[in-house]
Amino acid sequence: MIGRELITYPDQRLFAEAVAARTLLTMNEVLGSPDRERVDVAVTGGSDGTAILEAIGASPLLDVVDWRRVHIWWGDERFVPADSDERNERQARDALFDRLVAGGRMDDAQIHAMPADTRTEQERAHATKEETRDALRHAAAVYQSELVGELGQAAAMDVMMFGVGPDGHFASLFPDHKELLIDDPDILVAGLDDSPKPPPTRLTFTVPMITRTEYLWICGSRAAKADAMLGTFTHERDPHWPASFADARRQLLWIGDEASTSRLRA
Ligand SMILES: O=C1O[C@H](COP(=O)(O)O)[C@@H](O)[C@H](O)[C@H]1O
């Protein structure tokens, strides 16, 4: 495992602005490497993920990045219909990407959302457990094919940012759930139908996909995340603390505010 570092900002606003600036500068640095055509970034949902995307949109550094060379992916998604407000994609588009596309900075084809549940309400309501699992397996395979089609067999992100839940989950990898233990390097995306946080059906990057990232940041602000920041930062590959499985090739950071990192600094 690569060494981990903890960074603390005074409050949630400065935390979001700082992660936004770090993301933009890192994307620009990656794009500056010789022979580099594109940068691939996986974003996250939830309160911190959305605050960071809003801060990217408001950042004075927004245009240091050549957005025509940026590809956006998701580390996890709620497997619900495409128009559901629960979609991480919907929240991220509202917070940032719709504006970048409408303003001509990016093309919609650069935004790689995870598949939505295309079944009708009736089909979903009457589906057996096995039918729902089949739908999830199919959706996971579709996203994996898109990753491999775009980035090759060794598909990897340059930058991944994750929120951390109060229970220590990251992506849709939950405490003591079997998807967390997938270690087959050929399985990049998995589905689950028993998420303890609603909705129960979700898609998620697996640990092998996550840990081949260059820059990886676990982001959690506010007091509600204090236990999770402590538990995930101070354990390694502990199934009770999913984000403790985080690893990266170049940089691995836990980023919080004073309230969320209070127990780590005590
Ligand atoms: O359900 C999810 O939760 C986590 C954390 O969300 P938060 O609101 O507690 O910050 C999020 O990172 C993940 O993408 C999302 O699907």
Side-chain angles (χ1 to χ4, degrees), residues 241-263:
W241 295 110
S244 71
F245 279 69
D247 202 357
R249 288 181 171 155
R250 190 181 292 239
Q251 185 181 63
L252 179 59
L253 303 179
W254 265 248
I255 312 176
D257 63 4
E258 284 184 3
S260 70
T261 63
S262 56
R263 300 199 56 203

Side-chain angles (χ1 to χ4, degrees), residues 45-47 76-81 84-88 91 165-167 169 171-175 177 192-203:
S47 52
D76 78 310
E77 184 54 278
R78 290 101 185 256
F79 190 63
V80 289
S84 166
D85 288 342
E86 286 191 289
R87 293 265 302 165
N88 287 338
Q91 293 166 15
D167 58 355
H169 84 265
S172 281
L173 297 168
F174 290 92
H177 273 55
L192 61 153
D193 65 351
D194 60 351
S195 162
K197 178 178 175 182
T201 48
R202 290 162 174 256
L203 297 168

Side-chain angles (χ1 to χ4, degrees), residues 40-62:
D40 288 87
V41 180
V43 299
T44 187
S47 52
D48 287 314
T50 306
I52 292 164
L53 294 180
E54 282 168 355
I56 288 178
S59 173
L61 299 174
L62 179 68

